[in-house]
Amino acid sequence: MIETTVRQQYDRLASVYDRRWKKYISNTLSFLKAWAKISPEDTVLDVACGTGEFERLLLTDYPTLKIVGVDISEEMLAIAEEKCSVYPQASFQTASASALPFANDTFDVIVSASSFHYFGEPLAALIEMQRVLKPNGKVVILDWCKDYLFCQILDIILKIFDPAHQQCYTQNEFHHFLTSANFVVSRATKVRLGIFWGVMVATGGKAGGAK
Ligand SMILES: C[S@@+](CC[C@H](N)C(=O)[O-])C[C@H]1O[C@@H](n2cnc3c(N)ncnc32)[C@H](O)[C@@H]1O
C-alpha cells in the first residue's frame, strides 16, 4: 500500500528533511501563510504537516493559535512536537489524510502543503477535509503544479525512481478534485517559487457556505 511506502520514506528522511529542503520549505510555507490569511481565533488543521514548520511559522505570530497537525510519519511528527513543545495548545497526531480522527465540523481552516501528490486517495482525503471543516470554514491546499515543465519532467522521473511518488496534477485536475469533493474554489493561483518549482494554491469553501 502506498501509505506504507510513503511513511517509511519520511521516517527515514525526517532527521534531514528541514535542512535538505530549507529553501523550498521557506518559499512554499511563507507563500502559503500570506495566502491563507489565518486569523488568531481560527481553529486550524494541517494535513500532512511533516516536521511542523508551518505550525512554527504561525505560532511565532500567534502563540495562542489552536492548531493540530496530522501526518502518517511518526518520525516527522516527533520533530514537529519537539519544535512546538512550548505551545501547549498545538498538538500532533498520527493519521492518514483519508481517515481524519476528528468530529464533523471541527475546524475553521484546513491547510495542506506539498503533500497532495503523495495521497493514494486524493478524493477521499478531500472528502474527509470537507467533513471536518466547519460550514463557513476554508480549505487551503498548496502543491506542485503539473502545468509547469519542471514538474512534468519531475513527475516522469519520480514515477520511475521513487516508489513513494504518486502523481502530480495540473491546476484543472486539482480543481476538478476539489469540486468533486463538494468544495467551491473561491481563490486560486499558480506561481513559480524559486528557479524551478511551479506550485498551485487554491482556497475552497463548502458548497453553500463558502468563506
Ligand atoms: C513533502 S512533505 C510536506 C510536509 C509539510 N506539509 C511541509 O510543507 O513542510 C510531505 C508529507 O506528507 C506526508 N504524507 C504523505 N501522504 C500522507 C497521507 N496519506 N496522510 C498523511 N500524511 C501524508 C508525509 O509523511 C510527509 O510528512
Side-chain angles (χ1 to χ4, degrees), residues 145-171:
C145 180
K146 209 179 164 184
D147 296 336
Y148 293 92
L149 182 63
F150 178 75
C151 292
Q152 288 165 21
I153 294 168
L154 195 63
D155 192 46
I156 293 167
I157 293 171
L158 292 177
K159 274 181 179 154
I160 299 168
F161 295 108
D162 180 358
H165 181 72
Q166 270 295 287
Q167 166 83 56
C168 284
Y169 299 100
T170 64
Q171 191 184 40

Side-chain angles (χ1 to χ4, degrees), residues 49-126:
C49 64
T51 58
E53 265 303 291
F54 193 59
E55 285 64 28
R56 193 188 61 75
L57 266 183
L58 287 176
L59 289 162
T60 302
D61 283 1
Y62 307 134
T64 59
L65 183 76
K66 290 194 204 77
I67 186 160
V68 184
V70 297
D71 201 284
I72 48 173
S73 162
E74 290 186 3
E75 298 298 327
M76 295 288 273
L77 287 172
I79 292 170
E81 264 162 13
E82 194 185 334
K83 216 179 258 179
C84 299
S85 59
V86 292
Y87 306 101
Q89 82 291 357
S91 64
F92 296 91
Q93 295 187 37
T94 311
S96 160
S98 36
L100 297 171
F102 307 106
N104 297 354
D105 304 343
T106 302
F107 297 97
D108 299 298
V109 183
I110 300 178
V111 295
S112 185
S114 304
S115 304
F116 195 72
H117 61 277
Y118 281 113
F119 296 166
E121 302 175 294
L123 185 57
L126 290 176

